[in-house]
Every structure is written in C-alpha cells, then in structure tokens.
Amino acid sequence: MIELHGLTKLYDDARVVDDVSLTVDQGEFCVLIGPSGCGKSTTLKMINRLVPLTSGRILLHGEDVAALPAEQLRRRIGYAIQSIGLFPHWTVAQNIAVVPTLLKWPKARIADRVEELLALLRLDADGFRDKYPHELSGGQAQRVGVARALAADPDVMLMDEPFGALDPITREVLQAELARVHHETGKTIVFVTHDMDEALKLATRIAVMNEGRLVQYDRPIELLFSPADDFVRDFLGKADLGLKLLTRRWVHQYVAPAPWADRRASMGSLRDIVATHGHVWLVDGDGRPEGLFGARLWRAEGDPLGELSRIHPDWLATPEMTMKEALSRMVWRRVLALPVVDADGRLSGEVTMAGVMGRQPEGAAA
C-alpha cells in the first residue's frame, strides 16, 4: 500500500529523516512516534509531498508518488492536522465538501456524502450542517476535520497529532471514535503522535523514530514484549509497562462463565451458588445484571456473606473494552470482578482480577 524506501530529508547539513524504510499494508493503522524533532512529522508530510524528499522513494499502490501530479496525489490522500484548518467563513457542510467540490461531484452526491460523514463522526446533521467553525467546540471541530479528510473516500489518511491540542476527556473520546471509524471503514491510516499511550491504543503497527532514524517497527504487543533497545524501552515507560500491556488486551480475551441466578431466586439457592462459586450475579427477566450476592469479591470490611450489592453502571464491562479500563473500574469500585454484558446489556460472562493475573488470554499475540 505505502512503501518508504531509504527515505531521507536534509535541511542544509542536518539529516531530519535518515534512510527510513518501512511498508504500511492496506488497512493498517500505522503510528509514527518519537521525541520532538525525531522526523516523524516530516516523514508524514513527504508521503503527500507537502515536504519534498532529498532521496529515496515513496510508493503508493506501487506507483512512485514523485511521478504523480501533486494535486492528483493529494486528492487520493486525506490529511488531518492538529490545528484543523477549517475555513472560518464556510459552514461545516462546505468545509467537509471541499475536495468533492474540486472533483466536481454532483451536488446531490456531495450532500449525501456530507450527511454520511456527519453520521459516521456522530454529529447530528440538522444541528451541525449549517454551523460555522467558531460555533464548534474543539472536539467538534476536530471531528469535522476528520470528516473533511474522509470526504472524497481517499485511499490513505494522514494525521499529524490531530488530538494534541485537546483536553484529556475530549481526546480520549475522539481516540475511541477514530478507532471505531478505522474499524468500520478499513482505511489505511498513518498517524503521528508523541504519546505512547495513544499509539498503543490506536495502532496496528508502531514505528519508533529517534534522531531521524527508524529504531523499531512492530506490532504493539511485540514492541512491549521485545523493545529493540534501551531507547525504545525508556520511551515505552518502564514504570508502567504492565498497564500499557493491558491497553492491548481486551475483555473478550479474559471473559469467563459467570455464576448467575434470577433476582427472584430463593435465598437457599443463592447460598448454594455462593458456596460453590463465592458469588452470584442476579439478573432481571431480560438477563440484565442487577445485583451481586456474596462477599468474596469485595474488599470492603464488614460486607457479610449474603449482603446484596446493587450493580452500578460503572461496574459493567463490555467485550471490546480494554483490560486496562476494566482493571481501572475494579480498582475504583473496590471490586474483584465485573459482569460482562452484550450490546443489549445482558449478562454474557464475567472478568475477574484473578483471571487477569492467572490466565494467558485468548489471542494473546494480537
């Protein structure tokens, strides 16, 4: 899909990018990461020729990008940046439609595409179509920027620290949205960040750069387990490698059968289940968890066997949730297990602290 061969960029005598070679396959989410000044943004900009390369080759679907007219190349590549760059006197719909308009799409097709992308980025069309950039929050504007980059259905999305200026809550929400968009569209994405947590959360492959050179190019799990050298190990952050690993583990890999009973079950039957399993999840008539019966999952002193604890929504886990988030919920709520629910909120299993610590997850090499 995208091939970099000996990519080099010189500014006077300084090698900003030094002989970088890597391949990004179709549908990959490749993250370029490294300290400030390592050459990651320059590498990204050379792909769509915003920065001319000094030597080397870049191939897109086997074609040398240097041989393609710049305008044609950039229409095949979506581009989103930290500052967004929305045109201030154009509406949201007009901003999203920039490239399709340049490509002379029919007006009806453009309107349909704007509606489709607003829905994809979870922006209500009626509420946002006619707004201007100054009426948007930072997170909303960034969503519009991503929609604009996707507007002409490009082969590739290039994203240069698109969430770097956002507050942590908005950033986390948009990271999840981008992961969902990538999953739903299958787009090939090359994404620049200096945040390793962000890289581990989003990437299918991570390219670690330092002083213009590519130090390691691997899948996140391989990067965590086998860092190429001390620089990569330090950049990963040795103090919390275990927690970072859990950002690449998902609840569905650890879910186990959950002992359960109807909430109207007799006290005797509940005690029998607790005697065997240590606890029982109580479910309503639709199979949705409502309570926890049994004390062995609780650290709180004075919680006797037989006391019923109501399930708070924050205690629920879903199959696609990361184990880092599930573990955080256990610690925050002082519980040693979470009920796992399906898309309809029905109990499908449980994930436990003991399972995290004592069992190799299914699909561990993912």
Side-chain angles (χ1 to χ4, degrees):
M1 173 47 141
I2 304 173
E3 300 172 49
L4 310 184
H5 297 282
L7 196 62
T8 298
K9 177 62 182 177
L10 301 179
Y11 285 111
D12 297 325
D13 294 328
R15 284 183 173 265
V16 178
V17 178
D18 187 3
D19 194 29
V20 169
S21 297
L22 59 84
T23 298
V24 182
D25 292 331
Q26 178 76 39
E28 291 270 25
F29 196 127
C30 171
V31 171
L32 306 179
I33 190 168
S36 298
C38 72
K40 55 189 184 292
S41 289
T42 302
T43 298
L44 187 83
K45 291 173 183 176
M46 284 192 281
I47 294 174
N48 66 350
R49 288 171 50 191
L50 287 178
V51 171
L53 56 82
T54 301
S55 62
R57 296 179 74 210
I58 302 172
L59 304 182
L60 178 64
H61 284 306
E63 296 181 86
D64 192 328
V65 301
L68 297 172
E71 185 175 329
Q72 178 185 331
L73 172 68
R74 290 168 192 158
R75 288 176 181 175
R76 292 174 57 184
I77 297 176
Y79 189 56
I81 57 177
Q82 179 173 318
S83 58
I84 309 166
L86 299 180
F87 297 107
H89 302 301
W90 287 7
T91 65
V92 164
Q94 290 170 323
N95 269 282
I96 294 174
V98 169
V99 176
T101 300
L102 290 172
L103 294 174
K104 301 187 186 307
W105 285 15
K107 289 184 178 180
R109 183 184 176 191
I110 292 175
D112 288 345
R113 183 60 172 163
V114 169
E115 300 284 314
E116 177 186 351
L117 289 169
L118 287 171
L120 181 67
L121 274 298
R122 296 184 175 172
L123 292 169
D124 175 65
D126 291 338
F128 286 93
R129 185 193 303 109
D130 298 321
K131 283 191 173 183
Y132 288 87
H134 73 271
E135 299 177 285
L136 305 176
S137 69
Q140 291 165 349
Q142 196 64 64
R143 287 172 191 253
V144 174
V146 173
R148 183 177 63 181
L150 285 166
D153 199 19
D155 299 330
V156 177
M157 286 272 290
L158 305 181
M159 308 187 77
D160 194 355
E161 299 203 56
F163 308 143
L166 300 175
D167 65 86
I169 294 175
T170 304
R171 182 171 184 159
E172 187 172 332
V173 169
L174 287 185
Q175 287 168 352
E177 287 298 291
L178 181 59
R180 178 184 60 82
V181 168
H182 176 246
H183 176 74
E184 291 182 7
T185 65
K187 294 295 181 187
T188 304
I189 298 176
V190 184
F191 184 102
V192 166
T193 184
H194 63 273
D195 183 338
M196 183 57 77
D197 288 331
E198 183 168 70
L200 291 170
K201 181 181 295 186
L202 295 174
T204 58
R205 286 192 180 271
I206 298 176
V208 183
M209 297 183 67
N210 187 35
E211 296 180 346
R213 298 189 66 84
L214 180 64
V215 182
Q216 186 169 359
Y217 185 46
D218 258 323
R219 297 196 180 280
I221 286 292
E222 294 160 350
L223 197 75
L224 287 163
F225 278 117
S226 303
D229 57 20
D230 287 341
F231 169 79
V232 177
R233 189 175 293 107
D234 290 341
F235 202 79
L236 282 166
K238 291 182 286 188
D240 62 347
L241 276 179
L243 292 177
K244 284 187 167 68
L245 175 62
L246 291 180
T247 66
R248 299 301 302 188
R249 301 294 201 213
W250 285 267
V251 164
H252 68 78
Q253 295 176 300
Y254 289 84
V255 68
W260 65 275
D262 187 277
R263 63 184 176 185
R264 295 163 295 186
S266 68
M267 186 62 69
S269 62
L270 294 180
R271 288 185 181 278
D272 287 343
I273 298 174
V274 170
T276 301
H277 298 283
H279 66 282
V280 57
W281 300 104
L282 300 184
V283 301
D284 65 16
D286 293 320
R288 296 182 176 89
E290 283 197 340
L292 172 67
F293 185 85
R296 297 184 186 179
L297 293 180
W298 293 83
R299 292 186 180 278
E301 295 181 4
D303 190 9
L305 182 65
E307 183 173 331
L308 174 64
S309 300
R310 295 292 177 185
I311 299 297
H312 190 280
D314 285 351
W315 301 352
L316 301 176
T318 58
E320 68 277 4
M321 183 182 290
T322 69
M323 281 307 302
K324 182 178 180 181
E325 183 177 351
L327 182 63
S328 176
R329 291 187 178 203
M330 290 185 208
V331 172
W332 181 252
R333 290 292 174 182
R334 300 179 67 199
V335 297
L336 300 182
L338 298 175
V340 181
V341 296
D342 63 17
D344 295 318
R346 297 186 179 93
L347 183 70
S348 61
E350 67 179 7
V351 62
T352 67
M353 185 74 76
V356 176
M357 301 303 295
R359 184 164 66 89
Q360 181 73 359
E362 297 178 13

